[in-house]
Amino acid sequence: MKKLINKPEDFARETIEGIVLAHPESLKMVNNSWHCLVRADEKKEGKVAIATGGGSGHLPVFLGYVGYGLADGVTVGNVFASPSAEAMHEVDKAINSGAGVLHLYGRYGGDIMNFGMASDLDEMEDIPVKEVLVTDDIASAPKGSENKRRGVAGLVFAYKCAGAAAEKMYNLDEVARIAQKTVDNTRTMGVALTPCIVPEAGKATFSIAEDEMEIGMGIHGEPGIHRTKLMKIDDVVSNIMEKILEDLPFEDGCEVAVLVNSLGGTPKEELYLAYRKLYQILSDKNISIHRKYIGEYATSLEMAGMSISLLKLDDELKEMIDAPCYSSSNFNKDIRSEEHTSELQSRVDISYAVFC
């Protein structure tokens, strides 16, 4: 294992401490716990709060999407490990402003169990809670079993649209509806070239030959659809896009938001190669790209590979995806509205954008 760390067992905690020190204008701890982070600005009374969470190792997921127009709080576990229900409950209490809390997270067993227990704790304190699971990974379950799929990079679109609805002061039912609508219209598929190394394990999460890639692998190293010899990027994108486009399906003339995501070890140059082919495929099918996002949005430590996510848009979802927002990741810097410019500049360093 070759990493720039201190003790492996301190990796997650020290990472979070560094992030909070770097972004005190955006994030703060609850009860001085690195597991529990919330927005640093003042709560808006009567606004639905959005809580998310999961294991470390996926930056900027999850805490990079805590901010205005996005999530309000996050519970963070050790690398690839679910945080506790008690920590989730503390975050829910801290972010609730009278309108209830939406639990919005990817479908993974440990998180489902702990968010469920947190909901029970919330109920005992009269905090209304609803839940939406993100299930965008088409490689993890067949068509017709969408509710059994994993949540991967498409989670970013769910944060964006649900967060916009919450800032518009929609009630809890409506924010949950927008979140679910976003999930229902999002499809993702990825490809992995190398494993990653969890610091406390000290060894690779799986093995793969130098001349191989795995289509459809999950962000923790879960098995994909098939392993194959290395392919040209155009062929990889064609393979992924064929499966994504037939899964929803995306009709001639529709509009989409596109996310080309690095899993952590793939440079932007290669992502732009992927976008080039993706653009050609969508143009040939008369599908227009309303917004494009290219970079690191949901990673797996140093894993080399990438994923493609498509969100099928209608007028309602376009309004949500276009709404202003910010976070410690400087999410959506380029589409902030003019009236929010001064507010954003006073609250967050906007010298670069992750979501652009």
Side-chain angles (χ1 to χ4, degrees):
M1 180 172 68
K2 223 179 201 182
K3 289 180 180 287
L4 295 173
I5 62 174
N6 294 309
K7 294 180 180 178
E9 60 269 27
D10 294 334
F11 173 76
R13 174 180 58 80
E14 292 182 345
T15 299
I16 302 304
E17 289 173 351
I19 291 169
V20 173
L21 289 170
H23 301 287
E25 74 291 331
S26 297
L27 295 167
K28 62 182 179 181
M29 295 183 187
V30 178
N31 299 330
N32 203 34
S33 170
W34 66 268
H35 293 287
C36 306
L37 303 171
V38 298
R39 285 171 55 173
D41 55 352
E42 293 297 320
K43 291 192 294 188
K44 185 188 295 185
E45 196 62 32
K47 174 190 168 299
V48 170
I50 298 175
T52 190
S56 298
H58 301 299
L59 287 175
V61 169
F62 300 88
L63 56 87
Y65 301 108
V66 173
Y68 177 86
L70 298 163
D72 297 277
V74 60
T75 318
V76 183
N78 288 316
V79 176
F80 297 175
S82 178
S84 71
E86 291 77 14
M88 293 171 176
H89 175 55
E90 290 302 312
V91 167
D92 288 350
K93 289 194 297 182
I95 63 178
N96 179 44
S97 61
V101 178
L102 174 67
H103 287 168
L104 181 59
Y105 61 98
R107 185 185 175 279
Y108 293 95
D111 295 330
I112 292 171
M113 179 181 69
N114 289 327
F115 270 110
M117 290 190 291
S119 295
D120 293 338
L121 294 172
D122 292 346
E123 185 177 347
M124 291 191 300
E125 298 196 27
D126 297 321
I127 300 174
V129 179
K130 282 190 170 293
E131 177 179 89
V132 172
L133 299 182
V134 178
T135 54
D136 58 307
D137 184 3
I138 65 173
S140 55
K143 187 174 175 62
S145 298
E146 287 83 359
N147 64 340
K148 296 180 180 179
R149 290 173 172 175
R150 300 181 292 244
V152 284
L155 182 62
V156 174
F157 288 143
Y159 290 147
K160 181 67 195 72
C161 293
E167 293 294 348
K168 293 175 183 293
M169 302 302 287
Y170 288 15
N171 64 31
L172 183 56
D173 286 340
E174 281 294 284
V175 174
R177 180 187 66 81
I178 291 291
Q180 189 63 60
K181 181 178 179 179
T182 305
V183 172
D184 292 343
N185 285 279
T186 302
R187 299 292 186 273
T188 300
M189 190 169 174
V191 57
L193 306 181
T194 70
C196 62
I197 298 174
V198 175
E200 287 196 70
K203 60 182 181 180
T205 50
F206 61 92
S207 61
I208 188 168
E210 286 294 318
D211 63 344
E212 290 182 329
M213 59 171 53
E214 185 147 353
I215 305 292
M217 178 169 283
I219 59 174
H220 305 106
E222 299 94 337
I225 296 174
H226 65 276
R227 186 169 291 194
T228 183
K229 295 297 184 181
L230 281 173
M231 299 159 56
K232 294 179 181 178
I233 185 61
D234 282 2
D235 295 333
V236 173
V237 174
S238 295
N239 187 302
I240 289 174
M241 288 297 292
E242 179 183 4
K243 292 177 173 60
I244 287 178
L245 291 173
E246 70 183 14
D247 196 87
L248 193 51
F250 294 80
E251 300 94 355
D252 181 281
C254 74
E255 290 183 278
V256 297
V258 170
L259 176 66
V260 182
N261 170 61
S262 168
L263 292 177
T266 295
K268 245 186 174 178
E269 287 86 349
E270 293 174 30
L271 302 182
Y272 280 112
L273 289 175
Y275 181 78
R276 171 183 173 274
K277 182 60 178 178
L278 179 155
Y279 182 93
Q280 293 171 355
I281 291 170
L282 293 182
S283 295
D284 289 345
K285 294 184 176 295
N286 193 31
I287 297 173
S288 60
I289 299 172
H290 179 68
R291 292 210 173 274
K292 56 190 176 296
Y293 310 112
I294 303 166
E296 290 187 358
Y297 295 90
T299 64
S300 184
L301 296 173
E302 73 275 30
M303 184 185 289
M306 62 108 187
S307 63
I308 294 173
S309 302
L310 259 63
L311 167 61
K312 186 178 179 180
L313 298 170
D314 61 9
D315 288 342
E316 182 177 49
L317 291 182
K318 281 172 66 175
E319 180 184 358
M320 301 302 158
I321 208 78
D322 288 347
C325 67
Y326 70 81
S327 72
S328 60
S329 296
N330 298 327
F331 190 88
N332 250 28
K333 181 192 102 173
D334 68 320
I335 63 171
R336 64 190 187 277
S337 61
E338 186 175 336
E339 62 266 27
H340 282 81
T341 299
S342 61
E343 177 186 7
L344 296 180
Q345 288 175 332
S346 68
R347 291 176 183 240
V348 66
D349 173 15
I350 57 172
S351 61
Y352 70 96
V354 170
F355 204 10
C356 60

